[in-house]
Amino acid sequence: MSTVLLVRHGLTAMTGPVLAGRTPGVHLDERGLKQAAAVAERIGVLPLAAIVTSPMERCVETAEAIRERQSGEPSWQVDERLIECGYGDWTGRPLKELVKDPLWKVVQAQPSAVRFPNGEALADMAARAVAGVRDRDAEFGEDAVWVACTHGDIIKAIVADALGLHLDQYQRIVPDPCSVSVIRYTPTRPYVIRVNDIGGDLAGFAPPKRRRRRGSADATVGGGVGGGTV
């Protein structure tokens, strides 16, 4: 059973007031660099099999900070399927303007029906992001722990899929900058272990040093003892 740590990139000057989207040249600001260093230190206790990142600069910089804290040499891959949603004409516009657009209400209430003007449909975004993570996870194999560094809407879509939620429910999920959301994929179902974690100890997600028996893919009746074990 492999485990993916979904990491959102750190803060940029555009994060919050402006919808950066696929605007080129958006780098981590001073706050984002500190966040990336902090999440890299937390993840540094884990021997990562791979680091996969969106090609956007803010994600690459966050992922590079994580790689620098690794004692080993995890595989490094850039995956276009983890790129930010194509917001089309919304890209680079202040959020205070976008909230006045009639499409905004549809984005909030029925995202599965949204296609951004001259941009991507949220359903298409979700499909390629989920396929990207599931394909990579199968590639890395059992007991692998790996990082996917990507964007807020991408993480929301992947977590919603793992929870078995319709895309119209994905707005209920909130990934903060440099937060960690943890999903363990099994032949039976995905297990969502953490969502929007910004401070917890991650050491418990290290793969076993010696494999004694195949882990069960069944849910633990009664809730188990915690720590993400199944």
Side-chain angles (χ1 to χ4, degrees):
M1 296 180 290
S2 55
T3 302
V4 57
L5 279 61
L6 301 170
V7 178
R8 187 182 171 196
H9 63 80
L11 285 167
T12 74
M14 297 180 75
T15 307
V18 177
L19 185 62
R22 297 181 185 175
T23 303
V26 179
H27 298 273
L28 298 180
D29 62 14
E30 184 176 350
R31 301 168 301 166
L33 291 170
K34 290 180 179 179
Q35 289 175 326
V39 76
E41 184 173 357
R42 292 177 60 211
I43 295 174
V45 301
L46 299 174
L48 298 179
I51 299 172
V52 183
T53 182
S54 157
M56 303 305 298
E57 292 95 337
R58 55 197 185 271
C59 288
V60 172
E61 290 166 357
T62 304
E64 286 176 340
I66 294 170
R67 179 168 62 172
E68 289 173 1
R69 293 291 298 181
Q70 286 289 298
S71 57
E73 297 183 1
S75 168
W76 174 269
Q77 301 176 32
V78 176
D79 195 325
E80 292 284 345
R81 292 174 294 183
L82 297 183
I83 198 171
E84 179 66 284
C85 181
Y87 295 115
D89 295 345
W90 279 31
T91 302
R93 292 180 59 190
L95 292 181
K96 65 181 181 181
E97 293 181 4
L98 294 176
V99 297
K100 301 175 184 178
D101 190 313
L103 185 61
W104 181 271
K105 292 184 178 179
V106 187
V107 171
Q108 301 304 310
Q110 195 180 3
S112 65
V114 170
R115 179 179 291 277
F116 292 98
N118 295 313
E120 187 175 24
L122 281 173
D124 292 343
M125 175 211 74
R128 50 99 169 161
V130 169
V133 166
R134 286 179 175 265
D135 287 350
R136 292 293 187 182
D137 198 78
E139 173 187 334
F140 298 140
E142 292 188 2
D143 288 340
V145 179
W146 63 286
V147 160
C149 190
T150 183
H151 308 268
D153 276 346
I154 301 295
I155 293 173
K156 288 158 65 173
I158 295 167
V159 172
D161 168 75
L163 288 169
L165 297 177
H166 191 280
L167 185 60
D168 288 345
Q169 309 302 319
Y170 100 134
Q171 298 290 23
R172 302 182 181 197
I173 300 163
V174 178
D176 290 327
C178 276
S179 63
V180 179
S181 297
V182 182
I183 301 173
R184 180 167 295 151
Y185 288 97
T186 79
T188 306
R189 64 180 68 84
Y191 288 89
V192 178
I193 303 173
R194 292 190 185 179
V195 177
N196 197 32
D197 188 318
I198 58 173
D201 180 12
L202 298 171
F205 295 109
K209 293 182 179 180
R210 184 172 53 148
R211 191 171 184 83
R212 295 183 179 177
R213 64 181 182 86
R214 184 179 298 275
S216 172
D218 293 339
T220 304
V221 177
V225 297
T229 56
V230 293

